[in-house]
Amino acid sequence: MLTAERKELLLDRLRVDGRVVAKEIAVELLVSEDTIRRDLRELAGEGKLQRVHGGALPASPANASFSDRSDLALAGKIAVATAASKLILPGQTVVIDGGTTAQQLARRLPLDLHATVITHSPTIAIELVNHPSVEVFMIGGRLFKHSVVACGAVAAEGIERVRADLFFMGVTGVHPAEGLTTGDAEEAAIKRSFSQRCAETDVLASSEKIGAAASFTVVGLNQVAGVITDQEANNKTLKALKKSGVAITFA
């Protein structure tokens, strides 16, 4: 089998099974594990998968630029955002993460909502300009352009002064074994800090993020209240999440 054919088979297995185990594929194709690991390494370099111990998982489309992600799986993001908006009670203090699903959440907050929103995303703040009864507090810092959010030491210091009822967290991947992941170490740290300062964390996870993984863990699945998704209930990853005790809200 040619290298290109082998790589295509690996990607097909990821699409069908949601994971690839290097040892199993090597036995099946009668090649060495080193050969499969090299293929996986090269595919990961092309952004087509995420390598994990022993094999690979699908790479999340959320690794693309902010503008490219804005229209990706838009219906799913809107559904997730609509479901999330119903969790906010009048008078609460809510942290809204950056990202395209969070942007849809901000757009779907009722105009008559009385609440306080804390965000490190200028995109989210702008969406709330015309909400007369929503107080908006911004966390500053170095702009991480991929997600259009503030990161770094200045942002971390600002978050230390925050206490909130809810944190709507955006992630790149949700996986029962790899947990909640994102593609940048600093962004993962900021999400972690927000989660620690909020009474409850809910994960915004449109279907393309379910079963995917990125390089940096944010928090464990046992550290969030639940996952909000538009993925179908019979999805294998969601079944595994529910079996492990993760609460799932279907949009």
Side-chain angles (χ1 to χ4, degrees):
M1 179 179 288
L2 298 175
T3 300
E5 294 174 322
R6 198 168 56 241
K7 287 182 177 179
E8 189 58 39
L9 184 146
L10 291 171
L11 293 175
D12 283 342
R13 289 295 172 85
L14 275 178
R15 284 189 286 267
V16 174
D17 298 335
R19 65 195 292 265
V20 163
V21 178
K23 184 176 182 179
E24 293 175 359
I25 292 291
V27 170
E28 178 182 339
L29 299 183
L30 301 178
V31 297
S32 69
E33 281 189 57
D34 284 341
T35 297
I36 298 300
R37 282 196 291 268
R38 183 178 65 247
D39 290 343
L40 295 177
R41 185 166 57 248
E42 291 174 358
L43 288 168
E46 298 168 13
K48 294 180 179 178
L49 53 79
Q50 176 65 44
R51 292 184 71 201
V52 296
H53 181 71
L57 296 173
S60 172
N63 289 323
S65 68
F66 190 90
S67 58
D68 288 342
R69 299 196 316 272
S70 293
D71 295 326
L72 176 68
L74 183 57
K77 291 175 182 177
I78 290 172
V80 169
T82 301
S85 70
K86 297 175 182 177
L87 300 180
I88 302 174
L89 301 176
Q92 286 189 317
T93 298
V94 179
V95 174
I96 299 182
D97 205 348
T100 54
T101 307
Q103 183 179 37
Q104 293 299 331
L105 170 57
R107 289 177 179 175
R108 276 150 187 83
L109 297 186
L111 286 174
D112 61 350
L113 176 66
H114 288 257
T116 299
V117 170
I118 301 169
T119 186
H120 61 322
S121 170
T123 305
I124 301 302
I126 290 170
E127 292 290 347
L128 297 172
V129 165
N130 294 319
H131 285 67
S133 299
V134 174
E135 288 284 350
V136 181
F137 288 86
M138 291 193 64
I139 301 293
R142 180 183 62 82
L143 185 67
F144 178 50
K145 296 180 181 179
H146 176 267
S147 299
V148 194
V149 294
C151 282
V154 174
E157 287 179 4
I159 294 169
E160 284 299 314
R161 300 180 180 91
V162 165
R163 284 196 180 277
D165 300 296
L166 293 174
F167 173 34
F168 289 106
M169 177 194 287
V171 294
T172 300
V174 179
H175 191 275
E178 301 302 319
L180 303 167
T181 56
T182 194
D184 180 82
E186 279 196 13
E187 189 178 22
I190 291 296
K191 293 176 188 292
R192 218 165 20 248
S193 296
F194 268 132
S195 185
Q196 291 166 356
R197 304 299 294 176
C198 297
E200 178 179 317
T201 297
D202 291 282
V203 180
L204 306 174
S206 46
S207 59
E208 77 278 6
K209 298 172 184 177
I210 301 297
S215 300
F216 299 96
T217 299
V218 182
V219 295
L221 287 161
N222 63 341
Q223 294 175 268
V224 300
V227 174
I228 307 169
T229 185
D230 65 312
Q231 182 61 271
E232 295 180 359
N234 62 359
N235 176 270
K236 289 189 292 186
T237 298
L238 289 184
K239 287 181 177 179
L241 289 173
K242 290 182 72 175
K243 188 175 181 179
S244 67
V246 178
I248 308 293
T249 298
F250 292 100

